[in-house]
Amino acid sequence: TGDGESSEESAHELRISKIRNGTVIDHIAGGHAPDVLAILGIDSATDEVVSVGMNVPSDRLGYKDVVKIEGRELSQDEVEVISLVAPAASINIIREYDVIEKNRVERPSTVEGVLSCPNRNCITTADEPVATRFEVLDDGVRCLYCGTIIRRRLTDHIDV
Ligand code: CTP
Ligand code: ZN
């Protein structure tokens, strides 16, 4: 620490408070925090403690979004889908105010769960559902069960 954004932040005041325990999803491209919130199932009905920064100045990205969630760690499945909407994101795990783990997201070859298949006849949407699995394409994802491709607005297809 001490370089880039941290020095920029410490020279002025923090835009969003530090958290004590939980997860900070940092370096989300500007404007994509709502996509990350959708993937995590956080909407206006949430009772989780969540801070969101949008279009915060960043040395690396120009402008970035940041999402901080108190008292929660993300599942691998959630992190993989986040990588599709925020490929430059870093996931910081916070314990007692310290960053104890920092990982850049990686683009997976497949994602499981989280997204739902829009094909009403797909086996994954049947009464006793099979967990969804999608192959990651350059410009979308393809259901491994029925071949349906989702190209746009991935976050319209969140399985909550
Ligand atoms: N953070 C937080 N609460 C803490 C500790 C850190 O909200 N108790 C946030 C920081 O504000 C920052 C992110 O978690 O957005 C990562 O923290 P840190 O590694 O200290 O910052 P940088 O060195 O700027 O991270 P990077 O090198 O990834 O840009
Ligand atoms: Zn399908």
Side-chain angles (χ1 to χ4, degrees):
T1 68
D3 59 337
E5 281 135 331
S6 353
S7 52
E8 210 172 88
E9 280 194 337
S10 58
H12 308 287
E13 64 190 61
L14 269 182
R15 216 171 287 267
I16 319 175
S17 301
K18 303 245 168 200
I19 62 172
R20 180 169 185 170
N21 289 296
T23 302
V24 175
I25 306 152
D26 201 357
H27 306 295
I28 302 164
H32 287 278
D35 293 337
V36 171
L37 294 172
I39 289 162
L40 298 176
I42 296 167
D43 62 14
S44 58
T46 190
D47 53 12
E48 291 188 273
V49 180
V50 179
S51 311
V52 179
M54 290 184 70
N55 303 314
V56 177
S58 157
D59 290 349
R60 205 195 295 170
L61 295 175
Y63 293 92
K64 68 173 183 180
D65 287 3
V66 185
V67 170
K68 303 187 180 189
I69 306 165
E70 309 258 0
R72 169 156 162 199
E73 292 186 11
L74 311 186
S75 72
Q76 188 59 35
D77 289 345
E78 288 169 331
V79 170
E80 288 183 348
V81 178
I82 287 172
S83 78
L84 304 183
V85 301
S90 43
I91 312 281
N92 299 273
I93 299 174
I94 313 295
R95 294 238 178 93
E96 288 302 324
Y97 294 105
D98 289 334
V99 178
I100 62 148
E101 203 180 312
K102 180 191 292 286
N103 293 300
R104 290 286 291 270
V105 299
E106 283 172 36
R107 194 171 182 79
S109 54
T110 62
V111 291
E112 293 189 32
V114 187
L115 295 173
S116 62
C117 182
N119 173 7
R120 283 186 299 135
N121 298 319
C122 180
I123 187 170
T124 62
T125 59
D127 276 351
E128 285 186 51
V130 178
T132 60
R133 288 186 70 203
F134 292 88
E135 179 188 355
V136 176
L137 310 174
D138 286 343
D139 61 345
V141 297
R142 180 197 289 126
C143 178
L144 283 169
Y145 292 96
C146 74
T148 297
I149 293 179
I150 310 174
R151 277 221 167 76
R152 305 177 53 235
R153 299 164 66 94
L154 219 54
T155 50
D156 285 352
H157 303 279
I158 304 295
D159 194 4
V160 271

